Amino acid sequence: MNGVELLGASDAAIGGAYTDTGSPGDRHLSVSVGEQHACSVVESSVYCWGREDSGELGDGGPQSSDPPSPVEAQIGYGTPMEVVVGIDASCVVLKPSPASIDSRVGCWGESASGQMGSGALPDQTSGPDSEGRLVEFSVGSPVNVPLKTDVLRMGPSSPSMVAVGEDHTCFMSMLGLVKCTGRNSYGQLGVGHTTNLPTPARADWVQLGSNRTATMIDAGRLYTCALLDDGDVKCWGYNGYGQLGLGHTTSVGDGPNEMGDQLPTVSLGQPAIDVSTGRNHACAVLQDGTLKCWGDNSYGRLGLGHTQNMYTPQVVDLGPGMKALDVEAGYYNTCVIMTTGQVKCWGHGSYYLFGTSTNHIGDGSGETGENLPFVDLGTSRHATSLFLAETNACASMSDLTTLCWGDDYYGYHGTTGADRYVGNAQDSDGDGFSDEMGDAMVEVHLRNKSITHTVSTEPASVSDPIVDVHGYVHTGCGITASGDIYCWGRGDNYQRGEGSTTQRVFYGVQALGAPHSALTMSSGYLRSCAITTSSTILCWGHGSYRDFQSSTS
């Protein structure tokens, strides 16, 4: 091969040369240069040039050629966004349609070593009358990609999301594949039996159905739900309260032929954008902002104005013009962040979780819709993330503060205040909320240690704002803007992650092992897990079924 071929120009040019791709004024979105060929994305097309031995130029012509100028690759499957080339193969990230949230990966060229990722060998190339192949994790199952950059350089098993349940943990890979470990007494691991699995290495991939991958996972007490690439939701495991949303109370996933295409989708009526699993109930936010919930309805946690368990999804009345953005199904309650950033909560109220009284909300008529108040989190700010624990809740706010309310026995609120509850004070101004709510709320404080080893605390918004907040039962955690993880509250089972079993800590302490590197995390019963920028999974707390470490403490 000579320099002219790799330059994609008619003449050699030591000082550089223009490659003849597209039309004048077209945008060049991506370029990649390999050993013998190169490709670029120009507007909605892919152009390749250089030496071709195995169809790596993708133009549908002869498998071996040396065209004098760039040729347009015949890819199909969607609009190209980014291209990467190797020695004798090329791959591109494709967006199936303008409305698609996820993307796909298409490849062409040499496949003798499985470069196409399509489950067929050998020589699956872009020869005459053929197109590039979609990458597949099993025959006939194209992988949908949640990220557009770097995904071609990561393996299909690189973790991107973790979901921690009561005694089991699930992991989702960059390419939407799911594995679960831990307790499996009701099939909550989704592998067609009830044998406990201690490590991900010994677990099988959860079969979600032909051509289906996950974009989100969440783990409840003894069950699991996944939001799929097409907006469907599938749930498996214990179903005694109808929390799988399938219209019955029989557990699913604990026997053969119950997963994959045999596992029905939850009937939602339209694609979902968010799903959340509580202790025994689940909720989903749909594409148009509708909220639907199902499962255990004691205390009115489904927000339907009664306490009857519901085995199929039911629409929750949020009030006129209200649209849900993010939902959190908790232990005995549910909270939702609206598209406006306002928050509404309902269910068990004994711990002043609503900032009003100890009355349950949502268990009787006239308590939902426009009669359901917004939680008073203050003026000139709105919630950006939220977690809902057994007796308290916390929210990260748009003004960089993190606020908690409800019960504070174990230090759930991350403040040094001596009050057992936030939300139980009198309502002297008559606004319907405790005077401790709204602008009077005290934000989470973090512990910092100076070079003189002096321990002090200061508001998180000052030291390192919490941008994503998590928690469950009696412990709260948050990922800060710098990528650190801080936890506060109960710690007798190491659930704060700082190496101490002090029962109560009333401020955030830094979890060990992941300085400036946390991407995402999840908290479950007495434990948490995080994924770092190096694709490392770090877990801490109590693991009775060894679902995330070799010991049980």
Side-chain angles (χ1 to χ4, degrees):
M1 185 189 75
N2 58 49
V4 175
E5 293 168 342
L6 193 53
L7 287 177
S10 57
D11 298 306
I14 297 176
Y18 287 105
T19 301
D20 185 15
T21 54
S23 303
D26 284 351
R27 296 172 302 163
H28 290 66
L29 306 178
S30 172
V31 64
S32 180
V33 180
E35 184 174 309
Q36 297 188 111
H37 76 292
C39 294
S40 67
V41 177
V42 182
E43 290 293 349
S44 59
S45 299
V46 176
Y47 292 89
C48 297
W49 59 93
R51 175 163 293 177
E52 181 178 36
D53 297 318
S54 303
E56 55 263 49
L57 300 188
D59 62 340
Q63 292 187 10
S64 299
S65 65
D66 301 311
S69 60
V71 295
E72 184 174 354
Q74 306 299 312
I75 311 305
Y77 305 114
T79 302
M81 295 158 45
E82 183 178 6
V83 67
V84 174
V85 306
I87 296 177
D88 49 13
S90 309
C91 291
V92 65
V93 178
L94 300 157
K95 193 165 188 174
S97 69
S100 297
I101 298 174
D102 298 315
S103 304
R104 288 181 169 181
V105 175
C107 297
W108 58 95
E110 177 61 48
S111 186
S113 299
Q115 294 98 312
M116 298 300 97
S118 58
L121 295 172
D123 299 330
Q124 193 170 62
T125 66
S126 230
D129 303 318
S130 65
E131 296 177 321
R133 267 59 172 180
L134 286 178
V135 174
E136 301 170 355
F137 70 88
S138 65
V139 176
S141 302
V143 168
N144 281 35
V145 184
L147 300 176
K148 95 176 186 70
T149 56
D150 293 332
V151 71
L152 296 180
R153 299 174 178 88
M154 300 186 72
S157 298
S158 297
S160 66
M161 179 175 284
V162 58
V164 181
E166 184 162 306
D167 286 311
H168 75 291
T169 305
C170 294
F171 308 91
M172 187 182 80
S173 77
M174 288 288 296
L175 299 184
L177 313 184
V178 176
K179 277 191 176 186
C180 299
T181 64
R183 185 181 180 186
N184 195 29
S185 52
Y186 295 95
Q188 56 263 48
L189 305 189
V191 288
H193 58 71
T194 57
T195 302
N196 299 336
L197 298 172
T199 64
R202 298 182 183 180
D204 294 327
W205 296 110
V206 176
Q207 296 302 309
L208 299 174
S210 300
N211 302 329
R212 294 281 69 86
T213 53
T215 61
M216 179 182 180
I217 53 174
D218 204 12
R221 184 188 178 202
L222 297 167
Y223 70 108
T224 309
C225 290
L227 176 60
L228 305 186
D229 55 290
D230 61 353
D232 283 339
V233 171
K234 287 191 173 186
C235 301
W236 58 92
Y238 181 64
N239 196 29
Y241 297 88
Q243 59 264 55
L244 303 188
L246 301 177
H248 56 76
T249 57
T250 303
S251 298
V252 176
D254 55 349
N257 303 316
E258 294 183 351
M259 296 298 294
D261 291 333
Q262 285 73 42
L263 177 63
T265 59
V266 179
S267 181
L268 295 171
Q270 60 174 292
I273 60 172
D274 184 39
V275 64
S276 179
T277 58
R279 192 169 190 259
N280 291 310
H281 75 292
C283 297
V285 177
L286 307 186
Q287 203 168 53
D288 66 354
T290 298
L291 178 68
K292 289 189 176 183
C293 296
W294 59 94
D296 186 1
N297 196 25
S298 54
Y299 310 111
R301 70 189 75 180
L302 300 186
L304 304 176
H306 59 75
T307 57
Q308 180 181 347
N309 296 344
M310 304 305 296
Y311 304 151
T312 58
Q314 305 295 312
V315 175
V316 180
D317 184 1
L318 299 174
M322 290 292 102
K323 293 184 177 182
L325 177 65
D326 179 39
V327 64
E328 291 297 321
Y331 222 72
Y332 304 124
N333 310 82
T334 305
C335 287
V336 62
I337 301 177
M338 306 297 179
T339 54
T340 60
Q342 297 166 292
V343 174
K344 287 191 174 187
C345 298
W346 55 90
H348 194 286
S350 296
Y351 300 95
Y352 301 95
L353 194 56
F354 311 124
T356 52
S357 69
T358 57
N359 295 328
H360 306 324
I361 295 179
D363 59 343
S365 60
E367 296 180 348
T368 61
E370 61 183 352
N371 296 322
L372 180 64
F374 295 108
V375 178
D376 184 5
L377 298 178
T379 57
S380 302
R381 61 188 179 192
H382 61 268
T384 57
S385 75
L386 181 148
F387 84 75
L388 185 57
E390 180 181 7
T391 59
N392 78 303
C394 294
S396 296
M397 306 299 294
S398 58
D399 64 353
L400 304 183
T401 60
T402 295
L403 309 174
C404 300
W405 64 98
D407 186 18
D408 194 30
Y409 177 75
Y410 285 100
Y412 316 139
H413 298 168
T415 68
T416 56
D419 196 350
R420 166 69 188 270
Y421 299 100
V422 171
N424 69 329
Q426 65 178 356
D427 175 21
S428 60
D429 58 6
D431 65 353
F433 287 92
S434 162
D435 291 346
E436 295 174 326
M437 298 296 289
D439 293 329
M441 298 178 75
V442 179
E443 68 170 295
V444 170
H445 280 52
L446 305 181
R447 182 184 70 180
N448 289 296
K449 184 178 288 187
S450 70
I451 58 175
T452 60
H453 302 290
T454 300
V455 176
S456 63
T457 65
E458 58 184 343
S461 63
V462 174
S463 61
D464 195 359
I466 295 171
V467 296
D468 192 17
V469 66
H470 296 264
Y472 196 76
V473 188
H474 303 138
T475 307
C477 293
I479 299 176
T480 67
S482 67
D484 287 336
I485 295 176
Y486 281 82
C487 298
W488 55 92
R490 184 178 174 183
D492 52 338
N493 285 278
Y494 300 97
Q495 55 264 56
R496 288 187 304 270
E498 94 284 24
S500 165
T501 56
T502 301
Q503 187 179 41
R504 297 188 289 178
V505 170
F506 292 85
Y507 45 78
V509 292
Q510 187 173 356
L512 302 178
H516 310 304
S517 65
L519 286 177
T520 185
M521 67 172 294
S522 174
S523 296
Y525 183 71
L526 302 180
R527 66 243 176 81
S528 298
C529 290
I531 297 174
T532 72
T533 53
S534 62
S535 297
T536 300
I537 299 171
L538 299 174
C539 298
W540 60 95
H542 184 68
S544 299
Y545 289 83
R546 300 185 178 184
D547 51 328
F548 59 75
Q549 53 191 20
S550 57
S551 66
T552 59
S553 64

